[in-house]
Amino acid sequence: MALQPSITEYFATR
Amino acid sequence: MFEARLVQSSILKKVLEAIKELLNEATFDCSDSGIQLQAMDNSHVSLVSLNLRSDGFDKYRCDRNLSMGINLASMSKIMKCAGNDDVLTMKAQDNADLVTFMFESQNQEKVMDYEMKLMNLDQEHLGIPETDYSCVIKLPSQEFARIVRDLSQFGESVVISCTKEGIKFSAGGDIGNANIKLAQTSNVDKDEDAVTIEMQEPVSLTFACRYLNSFAKATPLSPQVQLSMSADVPLVVEYKIGDIGHIRYYLAPKIED
């Protein structure tokens, strides 16, 4: 089963 | 005072269609340079980034930076009141809690004013790093929408593989498997029909169909769509918006458990 990571795991809060 | 005039109100209608499936509400950040919007969908899986440059408007004035929190369903109701050929002007006072949408018919015989309440939204901005992508693909936007729609019937995910020769979209599930290959076009009559690939390294990544289908709601904005991919970083799906700006969607690839 493939997992869907959140976009926040790649882009940090500014 | 903020005032932005667009002779083609249909552009804003299409922008709204392109974001309202992913976002319930969003902050439109207005500054001297134009209107920007950045927001994650409710589940924080994808990111929408919209940029409309001030020089792309027929008239633009923004004396002080203004953040307009907008309920997109409400804005959609108002935009439905505009004819495609109407001229649109958005107006707000500094520190206002209202925005006015004014629609004028081409002959200026009918003028409509719709005032909408603004919201205070907690906005979280993400820093998007500069990235050199391994593959940058341009293809007709309708073709992309069609492929994603067709492959969604087979499973929840689509694998996008890019090599110098072409792009392959694959999906599989209970009913079977599907593969769609697009070769780079050698010569086409119209630029918008072209499939072009700039590749440093081949890439193969898996994405959720559901989000790709939502991104494809932007298809009416542009005849071409650009997909930028690198291993282990989010895909960028970009639609140019005429001479005024662009909308970009970011989606992380699925990872094997």
Side-chain angles (χ1 to χ4, degrees), chain B residues 127-150:
Chain B
I128 302 167
E130 282 287 314
T131 307
D132 283 328
Y133 290 94
S134 302
C135 296
V136 177
I137 303 153
K138 288 183 187 149
L139 71 154
S141 59
Q142 284 183 1
E143 185 75 86
F144 177 66
R146 175 78 194 263
I147 289 170
V148 172
R149 191 191 72 195
D150 289 351

Side-chain angles (χ1 to χ4, degrees), chain B residues 2-116:
Chain B
F2 165 72
E3 190 173 337
R5 181 182 153 97
L6 263 183
V7 169
Q8 275 184 288
S9 63
S10 59
I11 292 178
L12 200 65
K13 284 187 173 210
K14 289 175 189 170
V15 165
L16 207 53
E17 289 304 311
I19 61 176
K20 75 179 171 78
E21 192 170 284
L22 287 166
L23 312 174
N24 296 331
E25 58 243 349
T27 301
F28 288 70
D29 292 310
C30 308
S31 70
D32 203 30
S33 57
I35 302 176
Q36 264 129 21
L37 176 157
Q38 195 208 69
M40 286 184 277
D41 68 274
N42 291 338
S43 50
H44 288 197
V45 167
S46 66
L47 181 74
V48 180
S49 172
L50 169 74
N51 185 17
L52 301 172
R53 290 188 314 273
S54 53
D55 59 25
F57 287 86
D58 301 289
K59 185 178 167 193
Y60 191 91
R61 175 182 165 188
C62 185
D63 301 333
R64 284 181 61 182
N65 289 0
L66 175 73
S67 288
M68 300 194 295
I70 288 181
N71 177 301
L72 297 176
S74 305
M75 184 172 164
S76 191
K77 284 179 188 166
I78 290 176
M79 290 307 296
K80 282 206 175 89
C81 302
N84 278 334
D85 297 329
D86 286 350
V87 177
L88 159 75
T89 307
M90 288 169 77
K91 277 191 255 187
Q93 299 297 327
D94 292 343
N95 304 315
D97 54 4
L98 285 174
V99 58
T100 303
F101 294 89
M102 185 173 85
F103 306 124
E104 291 166 279
S105 61
Q106 292 276 345
N107 58 14
Q108 293 178 325
E109 283 172 2
K110 184 179 177 190
V111 179
M112 294 164 269
D113 269 325
Y114 296 92
E115 274 185 351
M116 187 177 71

Side-chain angles (χ1 to χ4, degrees), chain A residues 1 3-4 6-7 10 12 14, chain B residues 44 125 127 232 252 255 257:
Chain A
M1 192 59 189
L3 295 176
Q4 176 64 63
S6 163
I7 197 75
Y10 295 86
R14 220 165 33 197
Chain B
H44 288 197
H125 275 103
D232 307 322
I255 46 178
D257 194 4

